[in-house]
Each structure stands twice: as structure tokens, then as C-alpha cells.
Amino acid sequence: MDEYRILLDHETIQKRVKELGAEITRDYQGKEPVVICMLKGAVYFFADLTKNIKLPLMIDFARLSSYRNGTASGQMELIYDITAKIEGRDVILVEDIVDSGKTLKYFIELLKKRNPISVKVCAFLDKKERREVDITVDYMGFDIPCGFVIGYGMDYAEKYRELPFLAEVINPLKA
Ligand code: IMP
Ligand code: MG
């Protein structure tokens, strides 16, 4: 059992997610965006967020993985691609946390080749200080410092995703 301290409780998270949903609803009036869940981490955020966007949506899912444990850094693999046709559509990518920004940069570049009208990013958390590539987070839940976080979809060695709150791992072995 790893030790952790709670940073954001369930109510605080839900309040912010409602605000983000309202903001996206306003910005996309008259549009029908394709909203993409970046698996696995964004799954709970995505489920709560989309329920708070009062627009006709198409939802879809993608999964990417980076080889961050090996020596080759920044190597991305697309494990599961969206099936939606995004040409001529507005796309919103929903991510759990933007860290170096490499995952999103890779996926945004791939999606732009399919000629969407726009691609925007909605991230639950932003670790701004860790950014290595230029990525704009258009909608951000919370700006957090550099600790390693778990819960609300996020894992530590594939554990703790199901926790309904966000917590910081105390003394993580690897991050
Ligand atoms: P990036 O490509 O460096 O921006 O990596 C982003 C991905 O790393 C996120 O989607 C998460 O899956 C993972 N990640 C980064 N920081 C954390 C954390 O503190 N807890 C859990 N996962 C994290
Ligand atoms: Mg992720």
C-alpha cells in the first residue's frame, strides 16, 4: 500500500468539471464537436465532462503509449485509434494530465493530417513546469505542481485509477 495525501476531493472536482462543461458549451454553440477520450487516464474526467456539455456530441476513444521506462525517450505508439471521421469537424481532446506534452503533440499532429476544422485540448490537470514541447491547453481543470498524482483515472503502476478523488503519492519509487 502506497501512502498518499488527498489534493482534491470529489465535490471540488465535480464543481470544476461543471464549470468546464459550461465553458465548452458556450464556446461551441451551434457546433457538434467530436470529443475524444485519451485512455485510460481520462476515462472518469471524460465521463463527467461530457455529461456537462449541453451540445450534440460525438464521442470517441484513443489510446497512446510512450516508452518512458526505456532509454529511447519520446517514442510514441498509437495502441487504439479513433474510428470517427473528423474531416470538417471540430475536435476536443480530453486528457487526464499534460506533463511533458509529448503525447498530445504527437496525437494532435496525427489528427491534423485528417483535416479537422479545429483541434482543442481539455485537460483535467496541467503540470506546466514539466512541459518540454509547445502545447496549448485550451481548457484546464487544475494547475498542479510537480508531484506524482493518482485517482480520478490516474494510476501509479496501474493502481488507484478508481479512487473518486485526486491524491499525491508520498515518496513514489518512480514517476
Ligand atoms: P506527457 O506525454 O509527458 O505529457 O505525458 C502525459 C501522460 O503521462 C498522462 O496522460 C498520464 O498518463 C501520464 N502522467 C504524467 N504525470 C502523471 C501523474 O502524476 N500521475 C499519473 N499519470 C501521469
Ligand atoms: Mg494518459
Side-chain angles (χ1 to χ4, degrees):
M1 183 70 198
D2 304 287
E3 269 191 282
Y4 58 76
R5 74 175 75 87
I6 295 177
L7 297 179
L8 302 169
D9 64 23
H10 183 72
E11 287 68 36
T12 307
I13 291 172
Q14 293 306 319
K15 184 167 172 281
R16 183 68 190 124
V17 172
K18 276 206 175 76
E19 291 170 359
L20 286 172
E23 214 180 309
I24 291 171
T25 303
R26 275 196 308 275
D27 291 354
Y28 286 82
Q29 275 309 306
K31 297 176 176 168
E32 299 188 8
V34 181
V35 191
I36 300 173
C37 175
M38 305 292 280
L39 295 169
K40 302 177 188 176
V43 66
Y44 297 104
F45 176 48
F46 178 83
D48 289 337
L49 179 73
T50 49
K51 284 180 278 182
N52 284 287
I53 301 175
K54 311 296 181 193
L55 296 168
L57 301 178
M58 184 188 286
I59 65 167
D60 211 335
F61 302 86
R63 187 166 172 206
L64 286 95
S65 157
S66 62
Y67 305 101
R68 48 180 77 235
N69 298 326
T71 46
S73 61
Q75 189 70 27
M76 292 295 160
E77 188 188 0
L78 181 62
I79 296 172
Y80 180 78
D81 197 358
I82 56 168
T83 55
K85 299 276 174 286
I86 59 166
E87 182 164 357
R89 305 285 305 256
D90 293 291
V91 174
I92 304 172
L93 289 179
V94 180
E95 188 46 305
D96 53 355
I97 179 162
V98 186
D99 189 21
S100 72
K102 286 179 182 170
T103 308
L104 274 180
K105 192 177 170 66
Y106 173 87
F107 197 49
I108 290 169
E109 279 170 10
L110 192 149
L111 291 181
K112 283 196 169 159
K113 292 184 189 143
R114 301 174 188 175
N115 301 317
I117 295 173
S118 67
V119 179
K120 294 217 165 168
V121 172
C122 178
F124 178 61
L125 298 174
D126 194 354
K127 279 185 182 171
K128 279 209 187 76
E129 298 131 69
R130 301 248 313 168
R131 202 59 39 84
E132 290 174 35
V133 295
D134 193 22
I135 282 289
T136 305
V137 177
D138 303 280
Y139 303 95
M140 179 188 69
F142 298 91
D143 189 358
I144 60 152
C146 291
F148 198 83
V149 292
I150 52 167
Y152 200 54
M154 280 155 278
D155 73 305
Y156 180 45
E158 285 302 327
K159 290 189 289 185
Y160 310 116
R161 291 190 193 274
E162 71 282 11
L163 298 178
F165 48 78
L166 184 84
E168 180 179 13
V169 180
I170 300 166
N171 300 323
L173 291 175
K174 63 170 184 72

